[in-house]
Amino acid sequence: MFELNHIIAASAVDAEEMRLREVLTRAGYDVAKLTLTSLAQQVVAERAKAKVVDLSIPLITAMHEGQADGSVQVRFVFETDNAQSLATMYLA
């Protein structure tokens, strides 16, 4: 098994959080009381996972974890070194 730890910057999470706030506000929700950071982290992590899957890169598992600085770490596990290399290239 070959692991890849992919970090998505806090600025990308912040941008997604702002997008979520805008969407929810337009839908009539009072977002002032909502904490959307963990949801934004999940959304950007799921996008990274989807990119790997959409490229048909063989993937065993992918888990994400929010970091204290606001970024998110996605831990991918691949069957082969080649799959890990492809994912590294496409996620860069």
Side-chain angles (χ1 to χ4, degrees):
M1 293 193 310
F2 297 86
E3 293 186 18
L4 169 62
N5 291 319
H6 178 64
I7 302 293
I8 301 170
S11 59
V13 175
D14 290 343
E16 184 60 33
E17 187 174 350
M18 287 173 44
R19 191 189 72 74
L20 289 169
R21 284 190 185 286
E22 290 172 7
V23 168
L24 290 170
T25 299
R26 277 188 254 129
Y29 290 93
D30 180 9
V31 296
K33 298 177 184 177
L34 298 177
T35 303
L36 298 173
T37 303
S38 61
L39 179 58
Q41 288 174 330
Q42 182 177 359
V43 169
V44 297
E46 291 297 330
R47 274 198 202 119
K49 293 175 196 178
K51 187 172 188 178
V52 170
V53 171
D54 288 349
L55 293 168
S56 299
I57 299 173
L59 175 66
I60 294 173
T61 187
M63 297 177 290
H64 70 276
E65 179 180 19
Q67 303 297 299
D69 66 356
S71 64
V72 62
Q73 178 181 22
V74 185
R75 294 181 188 148
F76 293 96
V77 179
F78 300 96
E79 292 181 11
T80 65
D81 180 39
N82 186 47
Q84 179 200 37
S85 297
L86 285 171
T88 300
M89 181 177 69
Y90 285 112
L91 291 172

